[in-house]
């Protein structure tokens, strides 16, 4: 342990508690007490030597030595109260009083002690207070003026030292004042070095925080220009900090979000605390250079509340930005889930309403006509009527069975338990069979059903029952929503390794908004024709699921009032998928401008040799 460390520990023990936790204030208190305590102790040590050499001291000499002990009291005052500026004021008064006492007895303004008046404001400069420095300067000037006044009025003692003594005293005064001023200069330099070291350490601490924080800290002018931005921006935006200074950050804000961005900064510059969310463009990370935007939350506040008092100073804003892309994606997913839940609830309501009608109608017929057959003796029913009622009961039961089977099939497909029974079959025969089954319904509705099935269609591998269900549902829908006098065209062709089925009609068509939801379970498009046609809304949904299970593609094109065209692409050879079918995107539903369906059907009918037409 060195002598300096021992002295530092002793000084730290004397510090006031208010100065122990501030490094700069602790250094100032040390710089104030150390020279004064050492000077007073040196005066105590030199006083006996001075007495031995000088002999009996005069009253002025005793007062001067007593005054040199006064710094001990000043150090005690600072140690007890912690009032740094007050201690400097008392020190200036004590030093000025000592100078005045010596100068008055040694020649007034011409005394060697008058030079020390320059030291008074220099010593006060260590207080780092303008008030203390101004007070010390006025005090020194007042003391100098009083010495001049006393000299002019002749109130000084008559005894004057000789020229030789005056020269020696003057030399002593200048040398001592210079040495004391040098000590003050070294003390000021030490305090400045300590201040710079503390400032550098503090800057390094904040720089470390700014460098390791994931949030971006920035400093803006009122117009949004960036004056400082932390290195975390490089990780967030993938570019150098220098490119974000000025208006570099503003140029990366999404065009639609720039007004909100500037408004938040402007409001914060006026003293308000603002929070805003906007999109920032990242550097493209892919080779194709796709534009990537992230969502950022920025909280901004004025840099200094007192700055508003200075009208000439431009207001500045400090902002903290955080990447909230994951939260925004979660919110969007939550909104989509909410919309899906609302749509499911609406679908459930429609399903209950539709099923109550679809099930009640055949059940009423079954119950009513069965009761009439049970009471045939009282009703005097003939054989023809009993046969007719039995046929109506059978038809109602078949319709009820088809509704229940559709619901069961849809449930199996949604749960993933529907299995494809793959086997070779002839698609042309299945297609003609389905069209023959629906030919009577088409004639009853006054619709031309045109079937174009080339004889050279190859044998395909798949589920023949599912293939028939696809054709029956699509053709039945086309017939259902086509007005009397319209036309339904069914065609099949081979394109590469796929079989392409196309069912087009000249019916009512589908609105673009409804087209986006076509294929959803229990969804029935439109409001103008929804009440005119029965159905559960499961037909196209079952078709979509069956096509997906066959690894095919379904495309629906339609325009309201012009008709609809459904295209189904199925592989000629079905292979078991390695992933779940639900994970593939197999349906493309796009509202597109269609050409005249009748002209297309007419052109296709002339190109294919095998054409079957069933009309009314």
């Amino acid at each position: 342990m060195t002598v300096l460390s021992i002295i530092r520990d002793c000084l730290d023990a004397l510090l006031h508690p208010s100065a122990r936790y501030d490094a700069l204030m602790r250094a100032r208190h040390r710089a104030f007490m150390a020279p004064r305590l050492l000077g007073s102790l040196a005066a105590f040590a030199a006083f006996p030597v001075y007495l031995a050499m000088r002999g009996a001291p005069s009253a002025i000499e005793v007062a001067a030595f007593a005054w040199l002990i006064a710094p001990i009291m000043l150090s005690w005052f600072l140690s007890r109260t912690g009032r740094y500026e007050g201690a400097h004021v008392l020190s200036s008064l004590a030093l000025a009083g000592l100078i005045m006492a010596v100068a008055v007895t040694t020649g007034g303004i011409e005394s060697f002690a008058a030079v020390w008046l320059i030291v008074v404001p220099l010593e006060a400069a260590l207080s780092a207070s303008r008030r203390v420095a101004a007070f010390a300067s006025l005090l020194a000037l007042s003391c100098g003026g009083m010495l001049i006044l006393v000299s002019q009025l002749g109130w000084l003692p008559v005894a004057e030292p000789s020229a030789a003594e005056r020269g020696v005293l003057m030399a002593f005064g200048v040398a001592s004042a210079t040495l004391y001023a040098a000590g003050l200069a070294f003390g000021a330099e030490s305090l400045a070095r300590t201040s710079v070291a503390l400032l550098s350490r503090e800057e390094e601490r904040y720089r470390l925080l700014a460098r390791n924080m994931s949030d971006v800290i920035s400093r803006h002018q009122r117009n949004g220009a960036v004056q400082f931005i932390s290195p975390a921006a490089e990780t967030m935006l993938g570019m150098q900090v220098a490119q974000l200074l000025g208006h570099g950050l503003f140029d990366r804000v999404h065009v639609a979000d720039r007004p909100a961005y500037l408004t938040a900064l402007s409001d914060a510059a006026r003293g308000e605390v603002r929070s805003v969310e906007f999109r920032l463009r990242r550097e493209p990370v892919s080779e194709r250079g796709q534009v990537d935007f992230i969502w950022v939350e920025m909280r901004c506040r004025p840099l200094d509340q007192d700055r508003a008092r200075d009208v000439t100073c431009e207001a500045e804003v400090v902002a903290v930005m955080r990447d909230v892309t994951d939260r925004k994606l979660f919110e969007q997913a939550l909104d989509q889930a909410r919309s899906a839940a609302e749509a499911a609830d609406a679908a459930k309501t429609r399903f209950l309403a539709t099923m109550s009608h679809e099930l009640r109608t055949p059940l009423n017929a079954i119950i009513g006509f069965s009761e009439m057959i049970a009471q045939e003796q009282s009703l005097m029913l003939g054989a023809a009527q009993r046969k007719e009622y039995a046929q109506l009961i059978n038809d109602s039961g078949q319709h009820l069975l088809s509704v229940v089977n559709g619901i069961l099939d849809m449930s199996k497909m949604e749960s993933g338990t529907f299995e494809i029974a793959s086997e070779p079959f002839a698609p042309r025969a299945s297609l003609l069979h389905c069209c023959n089954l629906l030919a009577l319904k088409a004639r009853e509705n006054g619709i031309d059903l045109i079937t174009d099935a080339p004889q050279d269609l190859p044998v395909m591998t798949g589920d023949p029952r599912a293939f028939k269900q696809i054709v029956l549902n699509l053709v039945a829908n086309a017939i259902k929503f086509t007005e009397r006098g319209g036309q339904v065209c069914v065609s099949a062709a081979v394109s590469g390794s796929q079989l392409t089925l196309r069912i087009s009609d000249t019916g009512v068509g589908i609105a673009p908004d409804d087209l986006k939801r076509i294929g959803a379970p229990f969804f029935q498009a439109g409001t103008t024709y929804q009440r005119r046609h029965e159905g559960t809304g499961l037909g196209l949904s079952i078709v979509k699921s069956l096509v997906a299970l066959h690894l095919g593609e379904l495309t629906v094109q339609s325009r309201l009032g012009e008709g609809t065209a459904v295209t189904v692409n199925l592989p000629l050879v079905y292979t078991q998928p390695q992933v779940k079918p639900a994970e593939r995107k197999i349906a493309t539903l796009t509202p597109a401008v269609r050409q005249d369906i009748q002209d297309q059907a007419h052109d296709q009918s002339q190109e294919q040799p095998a054409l079957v037409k069933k009309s009314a």
Side-chain angles (χ1 to χ4, degrees):
M1 183 177 294
T2 62
V3 177
L4 292 178
S5 62
I6 294 175
I7 294 175
R8 184 180 296 108
D9 292 341
C10 293
L11 290 175
D12 289 342
L14 296 175
L15 293 179
H16 190 265
S18 62
R20 293 178 182 176
Y21 304 103
D22 188 340
L24 183 58
M25 186 58 66
R26 185 167 61 246
R28 288 176 176 173
H29 281 226
R30 285 175 185 164
F32 181 88
M33 289 192 296
R36 286 164 177 78
L37 291 176
L38 292 176
S40 297
L41 292 177
F44 269 119
F47 188 66
V49 177
Y50 180 81
L51 290 178
M53 296 177 59
R54 175 79 174 178
S58 63
I60 297 298
E61 291 173 345
V62 173
F65 274 102
W67 211 283
L68 291 175
I69 304 174
I72 296 178
M73 302 302 296
L74 294 177
S75 300
W76 177 84
F77 173 79
L78 180 61
S79 175
R80 298 296 295 175
T81 63
R83 297 172 61 181
Y84 186 67
E85 293 184 2
H88 266 282
V89 170
L90 294 178
S91 177
S92 298
L93 291 173
L95 181 58
L98 177 62
I99 295 171
M100 288 292 293
V102 175
V104 167
T105 59
T106 57
I109 194 63
E110 297 178 358
S111 171
F112 72 95
V115 181
W116 275 76
L117 291 176
I118 303 175
V119 181
V120 175
L122 294 179
E123 184 186 60
L126 295 179
S127 66
S129 172
R130 290 184 178 181
R131 294 181 300 176
V132 175
F135 171 79
S137 300
L138 292 176
L139 179 62
L141 291 175
S142 300
C143 291
M146 290 176 62
L147 289 176
I148 294 174
L149 180 61
V150 170
S151 299
Q152 292 297 326
L153 294 177
W155 292 352
L156 296 175
V158 179
E160 293 184 3
S162 62
E165 291 179 352
R166 184 182 302 174
V168 173
L169 292 175
M170 185 61 67
F172 172 76
V174 172
S176 60
T178 302
L179 290 176
Y180 193 79
L184 294 177
F186 280 110
E189 187 274 337
S190 177
L191 289 177
R193 187 170 61 251
T194 302
S195 178
V196 171
L198 292 175
L199 181 61
S200 177
R201 189 184 307 168
E202 198 71 15
E203 288 182 352
E204 183 62 27
R205 183 183 305 168
Y206 285 117
R207 191 179 296 111
L208 180 65
L209 291 175
R211 188 182 299 114
N212 291 278
M213 283 183 60
S214 58
D215 295 350
V216 177
I217 303 175
S218 56
R219 181 177 178 180
H220 303 257
Q221 294 180 353
R222 188 168 186 171
N223 60 356
V226 178
Q227 294 181 319
F228 166 80
I229 189 167
S230 62
E234 296 182 0
T235 304
M236 179 182 292
L237 300 178
M239 61 186 305
Q240 296 296 325
V241 170
Q243 301 176 3
L244 299 174
L245 297 178
H247 292 284
L249 181 64
F250 174 77
D251 294 338
R252 308 192 72 80
V253 178
H254 195 280
V255 177
D257 299 334
R258 290 179 180 179
Y261 170 79
L262 293 177
T263 301
L265 291 176
S266 179
D267 293 342
R270 290 196 296 266
E272 302 177 8
V273 179
R274 283 290 178 264
S275 178
V276 63
E277 293 181 354
F278 55 89
R279 287 161 288 183
L280 276 178
R281 186 177 75 252
R282 283 180 53 89
E283 281 297 308
V285 295
S286 62
E287 296 180 356
R288 294 178 295 177
Q290 295 180 349
V291 179
D292 182 20
F293 283 90
I294 61 172
W295 278 98
V296 172
E297 179 187 28
M298 182 178 73
R299 297 180 180 273
C300 46
R301 63 180 63 246
L303 184 61
D304 189 1
Q305 296 291 349
D306 296 333
R307 193 176 296 272
R309 302 175 183 174
D310 191 357
V311 181
T312 61
C313 186
E314 183 179 357
E316 294 181 354
V317 176
V318 61
V320 179
M321 290 180 287
R322 176 177 299 175
D323 187 352
V324 294
T325 304
D326 294 338
R327 177 170 63 81
K328 295 295 290 188
L329 293 177
F330 176 76
E331 291 177 356
Q332 293 176 1
L334 189 62
D335 291 339
Q336 293 177 359
R338 186 183 296 107
S339 300
E342 293 174 354
D345 185 68
K348 181 191 71 174
T349 303
R350 289 194 304 270
F351 168 72
L352 293 176
T354 302
M355 293 307 299
S356 64
H357 173 75
E358 292 292 329
L359 297 178
R360 187 185 296 113
T361 301
L363 285 175
N364 286 336
I366 292 172
I367 294 173
F369 288 112
S370 63
E371 288 179 352
M372 294 179 68
I373 293 177
Q375 300 176 6
E376 61 176 341
Q377 294 180 354
S378 60
L379 296 177
M380 304 295 292
L381 298 178
Q385 288 179 321
R386 287 198 303 272
K387 182 179 180 181
E388 180 183 0
Y389 293 166
Q391 184 62 42
L392 291 174
I393 293 173
N394 182 266
D395 292 341
S396 300
Q398 292 294 332
H399 175 69
L400 187 60
L401 180 63
S402 66
V403 172
V404 174
N405 285 335
I407 297 175
L408 293 177
D409 290 342
M410 194 65 230
S411 300
K412 290 181 180 180
M413 293 174 189
E414 289 186 346
S415 62
T417 58
F418 191 93
E419 297 181 358
I420 296 295
S422 180
E423 61 182 59
F425 69 96
R428 182 176 186 274
S430 299
L431 184 63
L432 294 177
H433 175 69
C434 294
C435 292
N436 289 333
L437 290 178
L438 296 172
L440 178 60
K441 185 176 182 181
R443 285 196 296 269
E444 291 176 351
N445 293 344
I447 298 170
D448 290 338
L449 178 60
I450 301 174
T451 305
D452 182 5
Q455 296 182 357
D456 58 348
L457 285 179
V459 175
M460 65 182 297
T461 302
D463 191 333
R465 185 180 68 87
F467 180 83
K468 291 180 180 179
Q469 194 169 2
I470 290 173
V471 176
L472 286 174
N473 284 332
L474 292 178
V475 177
N477 271 348
I479 294 173
K480 183 193 303 183
F481 296 107
T482 301
E483 302 293 338
R484 181 174 295 275
Q487 179 178 281
V488 175
C489 298
V490 182
S491 63
V494 176
S495 177
S497 61
Q498 290 185 331
L499 175 68
T500 301
L501 296 178
R502 181 179 175 85
I503 295 91
S504 59
D505 61 68
T506 59
V508 295
I510 304 172
D513 293 338
D514 293 338
L515 190 58
K516 300 176 183 178
R517 301 174 57 191
I518 285 295
F522 312 114
F523 174 73
Q524 293 177 313
T527 56
T528 57
Y529 55 88
Q530 185 174 355
R531 301 176 183 175
R532 298 165 52 190
H533 304 280
E534 297 181 350
T536 60
L538 291 174
L540 194 56
S541 178
I542 293 175
V543 170
K544 181 180 176 181
S545 300
L546 291 175
V547 171
L549 291 174
H550 280 81
L551 308 181
E553 295 181 354
L554 173 68
T555 304
V556 180
Q557 293 180 323
S558 179
R559 289 194 67 181
L560 196 62
E562 297 184 9
T564 303
V566 181
T567 303
V568 178
N569 293 319
L570 297 174
L572 291 175
V573 179
Y574 169 76
T575 55
Q576 188 69 25
Q578 298 297 326
V579 295
K580 295 181 180 180
E583 297 178 0
R584 292 184 306 274
K585 185 179 180 181
I586 49 85
T588 305
L589 308 178
T590 55
V593 178
R594 296 176 58 250
Q595 299 178 355
D596 190 276
I597 300 177
Q598 297 182 6
D599 294 341
Q600 292 180 0
H602 179 70
D603 295 339
Q604 292 177 1
S605 65
Q606 291 182 352
E607 293 176 1
Q608 300 296 342
L611 185 65
V612 180
K613 181 176 180 180
K614 300 177 178 61
S615 61

